Amino acid sequence: MLNRPIRNIQDFLLSTYFADGLRITIGVLCPSLIMAQFGMLQYGMTLSLGALCISVVDSPGPIVHRRNAMLITTVLLSVISIVVGLTNKNVYVTGTLLVVCSFIFSMFFLYGTRAAAIGTAVLLVMVLSIDDIRPWREVMFYTLLILAGSIWYTLLSYFVYRLRPYRLVQQTLSDSVHEVSEFLRAKAKFYHEGTDYEKNYAELLQLQVHVHEKQDEVREILFKTREIVRESTPEGRFLLLVFVDMVDLFEQVMSTYYNYKQLHEQFDSAGSYLNTSR
């Protein structure tokens, strides 16, 4: 029990959440910190804004989907920045644009989580830019800074991926294995004396949902990553083998069922008798 908190901290440090948070922190803060050294913090903040909007769509998944989403978001951010900057002098045009864009980009939720993140990023830069009335030259310069920040974060994310292309799969697979282990621990509670069957069944169903979600994430990344599917590397084959064995183990455990109440009625007394005889 004493090692449990340390183990949880280690799991967090090796998880995708920590890696994503570290990458986003570096990508967003670096432009501001660097520009602040030259007395241009205002420009650095605009660069960081572009990086922040792109980081919203950089969620775990196949690199092709992430790259396409970041490129599409970069283009949309530039277009919206120019349109808002040139039209925000007129209240009526601004109000109409706000309603239309809010409706269109909110409808991106119909196409999945990543598409919804694209709409959220575009609406974010729109809201933050709508109150700044500037000459058209400053609008274009502001848009260039947003574009530069977006490109900076896209290149950083792609560089981190190319540095260790199997890292995301390994992290996602380890999260899935951890969820399967939690499922096994919950199912093992049925063999404890005096267990609450209804409570344990409810916990088991909830963990089963989590396991299926993690396995779906692994499938999406594992079978849509070119380095693993097309290139027969030892590391790719090993990851695929681990995933297949893990799925087989989970399905066998999930399909195994006993009348645990009857088992306890038959064998609990035998265990008590053995303990008394000793």
Side-chain angles (χ1 to χ4, degrees):
M1 295 298 292
L2 295 176
N3 294 332
R4 187 67 178 176
I6 298 178
R7 178 183 175 184
N8 288 338
I9 293 174
Q10 290 176 345
D11 291 340
F12 171 72
L13 293 177
L14 296 175
S15 66
T16 56
Y17 305 107
F18 181 79
D20 292 344
L22 190 62
R23 183 183 66 251
I24 292 172
T25 301
I26 294 174
V28 173
L29 291 183
C30 273
S32 295
L33 295 177
I34 293 174
M35 298 299 286
Q37 302 302 316
F38 301 96
M40 296 184 289
L41 180 60
Q42 182 180 0
Y43 299 147
M45 294 294 291
T46 307
L47 291 169
S48 295
L49 175 61
L52 176 64
C53 292
I54 293 297
S55 68
V56 174
V57 304
D58 190 24
S59 56
I63 187 61
V64 177
H65 296 176
R66 293 166 56 193
R67 181 195 61 198
N68 294 341
M70 287 189 287
L71 292 177
I72 293 172
T73 306
T74 299
V75 174
L76 289 177
L77 290 179
S78 303
V79 173
I80 291 298
S81 297
I82 294 175
V83 172
V84 172
L86 296 178
T87 61
N88 59 358
K89 296 179 181 180
N90 190 309
V91 178
Y92 300 102
V93 175
T94 301
T96 303
L97 183 65
L98 183 61
V99 172
V100 172
C101 289
S102 297
F103 176 77
I104 292 176
F105 293 116
S106 297
M107 294 299 291
F108 279 26
F109 280 86
L110 297 175
Y111 300 98
T113 305
R114 198 178 300 277
I118 295 176
T120 302
V122 177
L123 290 176
L124 176 62
V125 77
M126 180 180 181
V127 170
L128 295 177
S129 307
I130 206 167
D131 193 40
D132 292 332
I133 300 177
R134 318 174 185 205
W136 70 271
R137 294 180 183 273
E138 293 187 11
V139 170
M140 300 304 296
F141 183 67
Y142 174 82
T143 302
L144 287 176
L145 290 177
I146 293 289
L147 178 63
S150 304
I151 294 175
W152 146 253
Y153 183 87
T154 302
L155 294 177
L156 173 66
S157 179
Y158 192 74
F159 173 76
V160 171
Y161 167 77
R162 295 308 306 177
L163 196 63
R164 298 192 65 181
Y166 295 103
R167 181 61 175 172
L168 181 59
V169 183
Q170 292 170 344
Q171 291 173 329
T172 310
L173 185 59
S174 66
D175 291 340
S176 180
V177 172
H178 179 71
E179 291 295 334
V180 172
S181 67
E182 293 296 328
F183 182 86
L184 292 174
R185 289 191 183 96
K187 193 154 189 177
K189 292 180 182 178
F190 284 112
Y191 297 97
H192 298 171
E193 294 185 16
T195 184
D196 189 343
Y197 298 105
E198 293 184 1
K199 180 180 179 180
N200 205 32
Y201 272 121
E203 181 183 359
L204 203 65
L205 289 175
Q206 186 176 6
L207 288 172
Q208 183 176 336
V209 173
H210 292 329
V211 171
H212 283 301
E213 290 176 352
K214 290 296 181 181
Q215 288 182 350
D216 290 339
E217 292 178 6
V218 177
R219 285 190 186 94
E220 184 180 10
I221 299 174
L222 192 63
F223 295 109
K224 293 183 180 180
T225 302
R226 184 183 63 181
E227 285 82 358
I228 298 176
V229 177
R230 297 182 183 179
E231 299 178 10
S232 181
T233 60
E235 191 168 3
R237 290 196 300 268
F238 174 75
L239 292 173
L240 187 60
L241 181 62
V242 170
F243 176 70
V244 171
D245 290 342
M246 180 195 64
V247 172
D248 290 340
L249 174 62
F250 173 69
E251 290 180 351
Q252 290 177 9
V253 174
M254 188 175 59
S255 61
T256 303
Y257 173 77
Y258 297 105
N259 190 336
Y260 300 102
K261 186 175 182 180
Q262 185 177 0
L263 284 175
H264 282 288
E265 290 175 354
Q266 291 181 356
F267 296 104
D268 283 355
S269 58
S272 301
Y273 174 76
L274 292 175
N275 292 332
T276 304
S277 62
R278 289 179 183 176

